Amino acid sequence: MSTEPEDPLDRITLSPRRFAAVLSVAALLLGLVLALVPVRVANVDLARPKVSCGNTFGGAETRSIVNGLGENSQPVTIAYIDLCERAISERTTVSWALLFGGLISGVGLGVVRRRA
């Protein structure tokens, strides 16, 4: 028998396996949200709001970019399409890494059994 009193923090502390599960679910959800939320970039005109480019699944949406710019200048539109493609590419890298990392770690936690 131990004479030391029970530590109250032991009851609320997560085990390493549960902590990994929480991180995996958080990464999965954050990756999914980042993949679905539209990418926005700054507008040339400071009085107008930001230009919405599209999300990582659909790519750059030309109609949305033209509507956001409010002008029909072809060189500006082409520059913004390129800018949006690069911004979406950066977002895709982060969101898919989080999404698949969370998915793989979640499946790994579900498949690998704990020691009894």
Side-chain angles (χ1 to χ4, degrees), residues 28-115:
L28 183 71
L29 291 176
L30 183 62
L32 186 62
V33 167
L34 284 176
L36 293 176
V37 170
V39 176
R40 296 171 62 124
V41 295
N43 198 339
V44 177
D45 185 9
L46 296 177
R48 297 184 62 104
K50 294 182 178 182
V51 177
S52 179
C53 294
N55 60 20
T56 62
F57 291 119
E61 298 172 358
T62 307
R63 181 167 304 204
S64 174
I65 295 169
V66 170
N67 290 341
L69 288 173
E71 61 183 66
N72 207 5
S73 172
Q74 189 173 9
V76 173
T77 304
I78 291 172
Y80 263 87
I81 290 173
D82 178 54
L83 179 67
C84 286
E85 285 289 337
R86 286 186 281 141
I88 289 173
S89 174
E90 291 293 323
R91 170 84 66 88
T92 301
T93 303
V94 173
S95 67
W96 287 87
L98 284 170
L99 185 70
F100 285 122
L103 183 66
I104 290 171
S105 64
V107 168
L109 285 169
V111 170
V112 176
R113 296 182 181 236
R114 342 178 222 183
R115 294 181 185 164

